[in-house]
Amino acid sequence: MANQEIQVVEKKELASDSAELTRNGVYFTPAVDILENPTELTLVVDMPGINSGDVEIDLRESILTIIGEAKDEEIQGQELLSEYRTGGYYRTFRVNNLIDHGKIAATMSDGVLILKLPKSEKATPRKIPVSCD
Amino acid sequence: MIFWDAQRDPWFSELARLQKSMNKVFSALGEDPNSPEFFVKRSRLFPPINVRKQEGEYKIIAEIPGVKADEIELSVQGGTLTIRGERKPEILGEDVSYHRRERSHGAFQRSVSLPDTVDASNIGANYKNGVLTITMPMDKASGPRKIAVSAE
């Protein structure tokens, strides 16, 4: 894995027939890694160019919504080469696990959002010792 | 797309016909000339870059999320600027199972040849929120210069 070359992944614009789109601007679907361990669910989301203050995370009725708002930036000068487009990010997930809403933690660094959703007590597996007489 | 009175003027109908056949060529290549993606060049090398020219400087902008600023290596040699680095996978503890893995990682390297007008000794770079911006001032000395012709 160490010498593997990183692949170019084209940005996918949000399909226009999906929900939302009451906002202005271009929204892309961010690339996401989803990991799970016995106690929590972790989402790693690539959102380059978004300030940590412009990220909205919402979880209600098992629908998790992540929105990254792009700052309206005035493009100055002349575009000589354009290989990618910029805009906001939007993605929703259906979360099946029971999540402890009070303990959701999100950190953002270098354009990557790490969202930790701890499972609630009820959902974590518990070993039940069987005693024999 | 606008068709002004295409029926009235034979010139316009000729232009419309031309436009239609050009569109046909592009859609045969798998490109839709009406899509905003049409003007975006596809890069095969990571990271894709945008290059902008503005007052007195050139700017190269690249989205490289998930890399530390000191892990991006920039070098200029003989009029070629090279961006090099590696995106490492996030280490998120043991005992994890992946449900989805869309973010790729690995090494990357990309070179851009610079125009002669760039002042290579004053190139600056800034990395913020996963976006690398390289600012390259234009060399003032490379502007038009008068050369006196001496007569003997």
Side-chain angles (χ1 to χ4, degrees), chain B residues 21-49:
Chain B
S21 48
M22 283 309 279
N23 284 354
K24 238 183 236 167
V25 171
F26 284 125
S27 34
L29 294 168
E31 314 232 350
D32 174 12
N34 293 322
S35 118
E37 300 281 352
F38 185 66
F39 294 102
V40 176
K41 283 218 168 91
R42 282 177 190 87
S43 161
R44 289 181 180 277
L45 279 173
F46 187 89
I49 55 171

Side-chain angles (χ1 to χ4, degrees), chain B:
Chain B
M1 230 155 273
I2 310 163
F3 298 101
W4 296 278
D5 283 339
Q7 305 307 317
R8 213 170 293 164
D9 193 317
W11 267 108
F12 276 117
S13 61
E14 181 61 15
L15 277 174
R17 192 195 59 79
L18 203 65
Q19 188 168 37
K20 261 185 202 158
S21 48
M22 283 309 279
N23 284 354
K24 238 183 236 167
V25 171
F26 284 125
S27 34
L29 294 168
E31 314 232 350
D32 174 12
N34 293 322
S35 118
E37 300 281 352
F38 185 66
F39 294 102
V40 176
K41 283 218 168 91
R42 282 177 190 87
S43 161
R44 289 181 180 277
L45 279 173
F46 187 89
I49 55 171
N50 282 351
V51 184
R52 214 174 277 165
K53 179 188 183 181
Q54 53 195 65
E55 263 173 73
E57 59 184 22
Y58 292 101
K59 262 188 183 165
I60 296 181
I61 310 160
E63 293 185 339
I64 318 175
V67 181
K68 294 265 165 287
D70 51 10
E71 288 172 355
I72 300 172
E73 198 189 311
L74 277 177
S75 57
V76 185
Q77 200 193 16
T80 303
L81 174 83
T82 304
I83 310 167
R84 197 179 287 140
E86 190 183 343
R87 186 156 108 143
K88 298 186 178 102
E90 314 279 336
I91 295 148
L92 294 160
E94 314 256 303
D95 201 16
V96 289
S97 55
Y98 274 90
H99 292 312
R100 202 170 281 204
R101 235 179 166 159
E102 297 169 353
R103 306 168 62 248
S104 65
H105 36 79
F108 59 87
Q109 176 176 341
R110 181 145 194 200
S111 295
V112 181
S113 53
L114 303 177
D116 293 337
T117 50
V118 162
D119 181 1
S121 55
N122 278 320
I123 295 177
N126 171 46
Y127 183 71
K128 194 191 167 202
N129 292 333
V131 179
L132 175 72
T133 307
I134 306 167
T135 312
M136 302 177 296
M138 284 180 218
D139 200 347
K140 288 191 184 75
S142 70
R145 213 180 315 164
K146 270 195 180 158
I147 295 161
V149 180
S150 61
E152 277 179 39

Side-chain angles (χ1 to χ4, degrees), chain A residues 21-34:
Chain A
L21 294 178
T22 52
R23 297 158 192 254
N24 247 339
V26 186
Y27 283 84
F28 297 98
T29 307
V32 174
D33 283 356
I34 303 177

